[in-house]
Every structure is written in structure tokens, then in C-alpha cells.
Amino acid sequence: MSQTSVSYLEYQGKYKGILGWILSTDHKRIGLLYLYTIVSFFLVGATLGLLMKLELIAPGRTIMDAQTYNAFFTLHGITMIFLVVIPGIPAIFGNFFLPIMIGAKDVSFPRLNLLSWWLYVIGAAIAISSQFLGSGPPDTGWTFYAPYSLRVPTNVLSAVLGAFVLGFSSILTGINFITTMHRMKAPGMKWMKMPLFPWSLYATGWIQILATPIIGITLLMIVAERLFKIGFFDPSLGGDPLLYQHLFWIYSHPAVYIMILPAMGVISEIIPTFARKTIFGYSAIVISSFGIAFIGYFVWGHHMFAAGMSARSLWFFSLLTFIVAIPSAIKVFNWVATLYKGSINVQTPLYWALSFIFVFLIGGLSGLFLGSLAVDVHLTDTAFVVGHFHFIVFGGMGYAFMAAIHYWFPKIYGRMYDKSWANTGWLIFFMGFLALYFTMFYLGMKGQPRRTYDYFEEYHSGNIISSLGAIVMLFGLAIIIINLVRSARHGEKAPADPWGGKTLEWTIPSPPPIENFEEIPEITHDPYDYK
Amino acid sequence: MEHTLTIQHRDDDASRIGMWLFIFTELFLFAGLFLVFAVYRVKYYEGFHLAAKELNVTVGTINSIILLLSGMTMGIAYLAIQKAKNKLTLAMLGITILLGIIFLVNKYFEWSVKFEHGLYPGSPELISLSKGDVMFFGLYFFMTGLHALHLIAGLILIVIVFGAVIRGRVHSTKYALLENCSLYWHLVDLVWLFLFPLFYLIN
């Protein structure tokens, strides 16, 4: 076997063993490094989530006190948002598949890519260290709202610094991907012949570059304020806490599009493959990604409807919030229209993709309730918000992540997983998910506040259903993970194109050789060319 | 795994694009601060007006001229390397480094005068003044401090480029590193050109 046709999993370079991975500049190995680290953090976050749901299974103190609960929802939020959901799909599947899907041998800056992973690990270590160093774990929530975050003695500083470093890692990934798409598309691959997953990463990259620095500087201001008593957000020194909220959401609202756009890209890949049909409205999907990215910059105020804003800003942000829902709806129509009259091949990735559309729709529509001013006054800071958020973020990014891992698993490892176990895992997970989060809509409308470890007796029955749902969901998750881990070693050998996909990653062997392509392909046809 | 060994691949346009994207990010980093400045300038216009008079316009002007000059020498270095005039390149890079250091020294003295007068964040004197003063000097130290950090990063980058020119890694047909370094230096320049009028001149 020649050196170039050796699989990236077996290739022996300058470094051996573990060093061959953590010092590798190969985009595929870096993708897997991200996969293992992100999944580990996801399990930490999920465990915290389960413990919180166990606390909420009965009113009053059940397994933890109020302060522990506050620390848990803070760490759950920081872990899930900054360590899992924001980097998740771009860093894992973007790294692994972006170069392959555009017919390139690697990203434009392979060493910068490795640096991004190291920054991610360092940022994560700093953020996690907040739990053990200083005067106790932070209890501010992942939003670090001022002035509480400025005055509380708990260890906010390292959590904030960790988030800052993670932002840096995210920016570098965005720069790398955008440059790669500008410079390394295979000959013949014009922009409008690029598959939709790279397109979604392109739009995401711009948000990473243009929005992340705002949170960077805001977090630095928190640091400066805690260390040097500069009064940016402290009213006693003349600062304005509301300004903090504005700055925070100027990034953190676009950040939800960093989470969801790559997820939509994954779904746009999976639907045509399993409908065996060209994607409906390719250009509409591309343009709507940019519509989301652009309008997404101007809706941050809807996180602050109850915080105090002028009537005109309220009106403005509410209107824009309704408008930003339109491009997402366009994508849903496109996916459904692609399925229409297709010859549908029902497999695990399609189950995940279809359930993605289902939960994403509920998440999106419940967002419109929160976007309407009068309704929001009633629903703000209730469990309804938590339900909406988890439907759209966990239901969005999480389901797309599951769809992606089940779609590309045979390509990544060259082995196939056990399909019936995968489907069973999906069904149990899906049922648990609905019980867990759907009840939150009901509880929130009844008035149960979020972020409290205790509640009135009248919310008890709903919380029992929700907590049992959490247990069921994690049971499903365990089945999925065990199945995948087992299959990565012992699964049947997978062919190059197990699903009949048409994009470039299915034209090369599974697992891919170290240089991806023997020869860089000439692109002559559209990405989803089903006849 | 030394993957780069098998892909001998150099793409100057890619480095250029990457650097521009990074500069966009940096601009937004400072944009967040300019936004904060604008908000508090409107809120405490009187305090800002009076506090700005405390700053030494002469030192600020000298520093602006120094940075503008350093931008020029950096630009000459960029032109010189393309014409294979390595000695001129090194001389210009050297002068740029020197000017950057002079800027920092001036900044150091400027800051220490403020510290002597107790005009630094968290000092009892400053807190006894108006909220406009507190905010002005908070922003002054934070923004010029962040700018100084960027300047130091730029200096380190120029030193690296300097070494690369000596060792022949940067030359008349391969100068993307120098070009990116000069882009970054101009960013540092540009940010100062906004900081200077905002803090020193508007009063």
C-alpha cells in the first residue's frame, strides 16, 4: 500500500501513539479530537442536568441545597453552551468533512487548526477550574449578569476567562473555514455548486468572526471590573448594568445562530441522501442562511423585554424577532418539499433528521410566543423559557449532532453501527426528550419560575413527568453511545458509500485515506445530482 | 503526525484573507469599547468634558506622530522587501520597533503621572470625584491599556519578521508574513487614531 492510500486512522507520522493525535495537523484527526473532548464535556453537562432534574422531582430540598443548585445550573450552562453547543458541529464535523466535501486535502491553515483545539482545551480547563479554585463555584448562571457577577465572592473570574479563551478558539476556527472555502474548493466547484453543509459553515464563520469579539471584550470588562474596580457596569461607580445585558446579547443572540446554522447544514445534507432526490430550492437554503446570519444580529433586545427598554426599542426588537423566523421557516419548507415524491430510504440518520424538524418547529414556534411583547411579560423567567431554549438548542443542535454522527459514522470509522439498536436508542431518547421539555411549557405557563431548586406543590405532577423524562432520555442516550462505541471497534466493515450519497465524501474510501483524495476531483455537476 | 510534510503547499492569498478576517475580529473587539465609550459620553458629557482636560494633549500628539511615522516606516519596509532591498527593509523594521518602544515609554510616563495624582481605577481620590470622572478614567486606562497590549503583540511580530528577513525566510518573492505583520501594525495605528481624538481632543 502506498503511503497516500493509508487510512488517516492508521497513518504513522513523526509522532507515535497519543502524540500522533494531539500534535496532528490532519483535519480529520483534529475533528476526532474535538469529538472526544466535546462528548466528554457533554456527558458532564448532561449529568449535571440529570442531577438538577432529580432535585426538582419533589418540592423542597431533595438532593441538594439552593447554592449547589445555583452552581449546577451555572456550570451546566457554561459547559453546554461554550464547550458543547457552540463548537459542536463546526469543530467536529466541519473539521472532518468541510475539506473533503469541497475536494481539498486539508484546511488552509492546518497548524492554526491544531492551535484552535489546544485553545479549546486550555479554555475548558480554565472554565472548569472555577469549580475547584478560589472561593467556591460561580453561581451567576452562564449569562454572568452584572452587577451580581461583579460583587459575588464566588469564582466568577476563571469562568469568564475560560469563556474568553474559548471565544478565541471559535474565532480562529471561523477564520480557517472561511479562508479554506475561498481558496481550496476543487476545480469546477463554483460557489453555487458547493454542498449545503459547507455553505452553512461559511455563514457561521462570519458570525464567529464578527460577533465573538463583542463577548470577548465584554468578558474582559467583567475581568477588569473585578480586578481593578473599573465601574463599567456597576451602578455605584456610575456604570449601567443594562449595558452589560446589551453587550452580552449582541454576541449571545448571534451565537444561537452559530449553534443552529451548522445543524441546518447537516439536515440539508441528510434529507436529499435519504429521499434520493435533489434538494428542493438549493439557492433558497443558501440565501436563507445569510438572512438568518444577518437579521440575527439585530434581535438581541428580545432577551431584555422585561429588563427595561424604551417602548420603541421593544416594538423594533419584537418585529425583527418575527422576521428572523422567516428564513428558518423557508428551510423547513425546503426540507419537507425535498421529501415530497422522493423514494425515501428510512434509516437512523433520517429518523434523527425528521425528529429534528419536529422539535425545531416546536422550538421555533414557542419562540414566537416569547417574541410577542405582551405574552413575554407573562412568560419571562419561567420554565417556558427553559422549555423553548432546550427545544431549539438541544432539539436543534443536539438532534442534528446525532443525525450527523449516525450519518457520517461509517465514513469516519469505516465501520457500520448496529442499526436496530441505534433506532431503539433514538426512539427512547425522543420520548424522554418530549416528556422532559414539553412539560416545561405547561409549567411555565402556570408560572413556575426557572433557576430555582424549589417550587409550590401545584407544580409537582408536571415536574415528576419532566424528571422521569430526563431519566428516560439519558437511558436512550446510554444505548446510543454504547452502540456507537462498540461499533467503532467491532462493527461490520462499511463500504465507501453506504447510503447512496452524492457529495464528495462518499466518493473516497471509508475511513478516508490520509490525503483524502488520490487526485483532486474535477467538479462538473451539482452537489445533489440524483437522476 | 507531520501531515504538512506531504502537502507542500503555500498560498499567500490565503494568508492575506486570514489576516483580513482576523483584523475584522479585532475591529469588532474595539468597536464594543467604542460603543461603551459613546454611551457613557452621552450619559456623563460634563464629567467627560472636565476629565479630558486632565490629559496631556502634547504627549498625546507626540505619540500620535510617532505612531504615524512608524506606520510610514512599516510601509517602506513592505515596499523595500518587494524590491529585494533587504538592508533597507531591516533598517525600516528596526526604526518601527524603536518608534513603538518610544510610544510605550511615553505611555508609561503618562500613566505614572496619572497614578501619582491618584487618577486610577479603584483609587480613593478617583472615587471621591464625579461618576463621569470615574468612568472616563476607567475607559481611558482600559482602552489605552488594551491598545498598548496590541502594540506589544505587534512589536513581537515585527521582531519575528526581522529575524525571518535575516535568515532569508522572508524575501522578495515570499513576503506574506511581512505583509500580514504590516497589516496588523496599521490596525494598531488606526485604533490609536480613534483613541487620540476621543480622549484627548474632545473636551
Side-chain angles (χ1 to χ4, degrees):
Chain A
M1 222 186 313
S2 77
Q3 189 71 328
T4 47
S5 61
V6 143
S7 115
Y8 77 102
L9 291 168
E10 284 152 11
Y11 179 82
Q12 274 295 337
K14 197 160 82 181
Y15 303 107
K16 307 267 179 281
I18 183 94
L19 285 182
W21 284 83
I22 60 173
L23 295 177
S24 169
T25 53
D26 176 30
H27 67 100
K28 300 181 285 299
R29 287 201 169 190
I30 294 175
L32 286 197
L33 287 177
Y34 271 116
L35 175 68
Y36 302 140
T37 36
I38 288 175
V39 167
S40 312
F41 288 123
F42 171 72
L43 292 177
V44 172
T47 310
L48 291 168
L50 179 69
L51 290 172
M52 279 152 62
K53 289 317 290 184
L54 289 179
E55 165 59 35
L56 289 177
I57 206 163
R61 185 192 157 127
T62 318
I63 57 167
M64 63 181 90
D65 58 19
Q67 183 62 23
T68 315
Y69 187 83
N70 294 349
F72 272 28
F73 75 64
T74 303
L75 187 62
H76 173 77
I78 294 172
T79 316
M80 288 305 204
I81 297 287
F82 293 111
L83 296 177
V84 178
V85 183
I86 288 179
I89 292 178
I92 300 171
F93 300 107
N95 259 317
F96 201 106
F97 287 105
L98 167 69
I100 303 182
M101 289 175 94
I102 62 170
K105 291 189 170 180
D106 207 320
V107 290
S108 274
F109 311 116
R111 278 183 296 174
L112 188 70
N113 204 13
L114 181 62
L115 177 70
S116 304
W117 181 73
W118 275 102
L119 282 176
Y120 171 83
V121 172
I122 293 167
I126 299 175
I128 300 288
S129 75
S130 67
Q131 300 303 305
F132 311 106
L133 302 173
S135 39
D139 55 351
T140 57
W142 73 277
T143 46
F144 306 116
Y145 266 18
Y148 184 70
S149 62
L150 310 173
R151 294 177 182 172
V152 69
T154 54
N155 197 10
V156 177
L157 208 56
S158 48
V160 166
L161 271 177
F164 177 78
V165 177
L166 289 165
F168 216 118
S169 158
S170 170
I171 289 172
L172 294 181
T173 304
I175 290 178
N176 215 340
F177 284 0
I178 289 187
T179 313
T180 305
M181 277 177 268
H182 273 282
R183 296 296 304 164
M184 297 184 74
K185 293 193 301 306
M189 183 176 277
K190 301 208 175 64
W191 281 102
M192 290 312 267
K193 283 188 175 175
M194 197 163 73
L196 289 162
F197 181 55
W199 260 121
S200 71
L201 292 173
Y202 188 78
T204 308
W206 278 107
I207 310 178
Q208 284 173 313
I209 290 171
L210 299 183
T212 318
I214 307 285
I215 190 85
I217 197 67
T218 310
L219 295 176
L220 279 187
M221 283 192 250
I222 293 269
V223 171
E225 220 170 319
R226 281 186 75 99
L227 289 180
F228 309 117
K229 293 204 171 49
I230 300 178
F232 294 128
F233 310 121
D234 189 341
S236 69
L237 294 170
D240 184 354
L242 261 191
L243 185 62
Y244 174 80
Q245 295 189 20
H246 278 292
L247 289 170
F248 181 82
W249 290 114
I250 285 175
Y251 164 72
S252 297
H253 196 81
V256 306
Y257 300 111
I258 296 179
M259 306 168 191
I260 200 67
L261 280 173
M264 291 167 157
V266 167
I267 302 303
S268 307
E269 294 295 330
I270 290 175
I271 300 272
T273 301
F274 293 94
R276 299 182 197 283
K277 190 160 158 273
T278 308
I279 188 94
F280 179 85
Y282 171 89
S283 48
I285 293 184
V286 172
I287 294 165
S288 63
S289 288
F290 287 92
I292 292 172
F294 182 73
I295 305 169
Y297 275 103
F298 305 105
V299 300
W300 76 84
H302 67 212
H303 294 271
M304 305 163 57
F305 282 163
M309 266 197 292
S310 71
R312 192 177 298 161
S313 334
L314 289 174
W315 179 89
F316 178 74
F317 282 122
S318 178
L319 177 73
L320 283 168
T321 303
F322 282 94
I323 291 175
V324 79
I326 295 171
S328 303
I330 289 175
K331 285 184 198 274
V332 172
F333 285 122
N334 281 307
W335 295 326
V336 176
T338 306
L339 290 166
Y340 180 66
K341 286 191 176 171
S343 40
I344 294 172
N345 173 18
V346 183
Q347 301 278 0
T348 322
L350 189 69
Y351 280 127
W352 281 108
L354 294 179
S355 50
F356 167 91
I357 298 178
F358 179 77
V359 291
F360 180 71
L361 213 59
I362 294 175
L365 292 174
S366 62
L368 295 181
F369 287 74
L370 296 166
S372 0
L373 297 170
V375 185
D376 186 67
V377 171
H378 177 64
L379 293 176
T380 193
D381 265 330
T382 65
F384 189 96
V385 177
V386 184
H388 159 69
F389 182 79
H390 284 84
F391 257 91
I392 205 88
V393 172
F394 193 19
M397 182 277 176
Y399 276 55
F401 179 89
M402 289 295 191
I405 189 77
H406 285 93
Y407 180 54
W408 281 314
F409 185 89
K411 180 57 65 185
I412 295 175
Y413 291 102
R415 291 178 185 274
M416 186 51 94
Y417 49 83
D418 185 309
K419 288 180 188 172
S420 59
W421 274 115
N423 292 344
T424 315
W426 163 76
L427 189 65
I428 296 174
F429 185 96
F430 189 36
M431 294 300 149
F433 179 93
L434 292 180
L436 165 56
Y437 297 117
F438 213 88
T439 39
M440 287 190 183
F441 288 132
Y442 171 79
L443 289 167
M445 284 199 289
K446 287 282 180 186
Q448 185 188 332
R450 65 173 180 158
R451 291 182 165 179
T452 42
Y453 82 124
D454 189 12
Y455 50 82
F456 294 126
E457 184 57 41
E458 60 193 284
Y459 304 125
H460 194 180
S461 50
N463 273 293
I464 292 178
I465 298 173
S466 179
S467 295
L468 290 179
I471 296 168
V472 173
M473 187 180 81
L474 284 197
F475 182 62
L477 183 69
I479 294 177
I480 293 164
I481 292 181
I482 292 169
N483 181 33
L484 290 181
V485 171
R486 250 194 100 264
S487 308
R489 292 178 164 231
H490 308 294
E492 279 174 49
K493 287 250 186 276
D497 188 3
W499 315 117
K502 293 289 180 192
T503 36
L504 283 175
E505 77 270 31
W506 305 113
T507 62
I508 58 173
S510 309
I514 181 69
E515 299 239 298
N516 300 346
F517 301 95
E518 287 280 332
E519 252 174 73
I520 295 294
E522 277 284 329
I523 311 299
T524 49
H525 53 80
D526 290 335
Y528 309 101
D529 199 18
Y530 292 90
K531 288 275 151 51
Chain B
M1 183 175 58
E2 200 42 56
H3 188 212
T4 38
L5 273 185
T6 45
I7 302 177
Q8 282 301 343
H9 159 95
R10 177 183 138 211
D11 184 350
D12 290 347
D13 277 345
S15 341
R16 219 167 275 146
I17 293 174
M19 193 65 206
W20 274 109
L21 293 173
F22 185 68
I23 285 176
F24 291 162
T25 275
E26 290 275 24
L27 285 176
F28 270 73
L29 188 82
F30 280 98
L33 280 173
F34 285 122
L35 186 72
V36 173
F37 183 91
V39 167
Y40 289 125
R41 162 107 209 144
V42 171
K43 195 170 176 186
Y44 300 115
Y45 58 93
E46 267 190 17
F48 270 49
H49 172 78
L50 294 172
K53 290 188 171 168
E54 296 286 323
L55 295 185
N56 190 332
V57 182
T58 320
V59 179
T61 312
I62 292 173
N63 259 352
S64 306
I65 293 170
I66 289 172
L67 268 198
L68 281 174
L69 275 178
S70 79
M72 187 183 77
T73 51
M74 190 76 222
I76 295 175
Y78 170 61
L79 293 175
I81 192 78
Q82 293 177 55
K83 295 183 176 152
K85 294 179 178 164
N86 283 14
K87 273 188 187 158
L88 182 62
T89 310
L90 288 174
M92 286 301 147
L93 289 177
I95 296 175
T96 314
I97 295 171
L98 202 67
L99 290 169
I101 292 172
I102 296 175
F103 177 93
L104 286 176
V105 171
N106 276 344
K107 197 88 248 168
Y108 169 79
F109 284 116
E110 211 186 347
W111 274 33
S112 28
V113 171
K114 297 283 165 304
F115 271 79
E116 272 168 32
H117 295 175
L119 294 173
Y120 59 90
S123 84
E125 280 103 307
L126 187 60
I127 288 176
S128 69
L129 296 175
S130 80
K131 285 179 175 171
D133 281 292
V134 175
M135 195 55 71
F136 182 87
F137 283 104
L139 278 166
Y140 168 77
F141 279 104
F142 193 73
M143 291 176 82
T144 55
L146 192 69
H147 175 258
L149 281 181
H150 278 79
L151 199 130
I152 292 169
L155 284 177
I156 295 172
L157 199 59
I158 300 176
V159 171
I160 292 172
V161 173
F162 194 89
V165 175
I166 290 178
R167 266 174 284 145
R169 291 203 187 144
V170 166
H171 48 75
S172 60
T173 52
K174 185 180 175 225
Y175 52 85
L177 184 65
L178 197 155
E179 185 177 352
N180 282 342
C181 171
S182 102
L183 277 174
Y184 189 81
W185 191 255
H186 290 311
L187 168 82
V188 173
D189 255 13
L190 182 76
V191 171
W192 177 257
L193 288 184
F194 281 90
L195 291 178
F196 175 60
L198 283 181
F199 281 107
Y200 293 80
L201 299 185
I202 309 176
N203 57 37

